């Protein structure tokens, strides 16, 4: 695996850990104490992080087809 490919794998792992932590926070009672606008921003952030993770996953899967 090329160095840049390894960086993508690490990036996805770190992103997924952050996303899991954010989702856990969203599920906690403390989240409900935040104002609605902040709750919305955090939910939007989680949604976008999930999309970003999906894109990284597609890239990682495509590495298997690379001849480099």
């Amino acid at each position: 695996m090329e160095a840049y490919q390894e960086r993508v794998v690490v990036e996805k792992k770190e992103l997924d850990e952050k996303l899991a932590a954010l989702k856990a926070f969203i599920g906690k009672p403390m989240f409900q104490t935040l104002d609605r606008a902040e709750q919305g921003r955090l939910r939007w952030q989680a949604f976008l992080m999930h999309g970003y993770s999906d894109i990284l996953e597609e890239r990682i899967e495509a590495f298997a087809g690379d001849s480099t």
Side-chain angles (χ1 to χ4, degrees):
M1 187 176 283
E2 298 283 335
Y4 80 92
Q5 294 171 327
E6 291 175 7
R7 287 191 299 272
V8 172
V9 171
V10 169
E11 181 177 355
K12 182 178 182 341
K13 180 181 180 288
E14 291 172 353
L15 176 64
D16 288 348
E17 290 170 357
K18 291 176 183 179
L19 178 55
L22 178 55
K23 286 181 177 181
F25 176 70
I26 289 171
K28 293 187 181 206
M30 184 177 178
F31 178 77
Q32 298 303 320
T33 68
L34 302 174
D35 66 63
R36 289 173 106 31
E38 183 64 7
Q39 288 179 21
R41 285 188 291 268
L42 288 170
R43 285 189 180 104
W44 181 237
Q45 179 179 334
F47 176 79
L48 293 173
M49 289 171 76
H50 183 75
Y52 182 23
S53 178
D54 287 348
I55 292 167
L56 292 176
E57 181 66 29
E58 287 182 30
R59 291 184 65 203
I60 292 166
E61 288 173 1
F63 294 158
D66 287 352
S67 60
T68 56

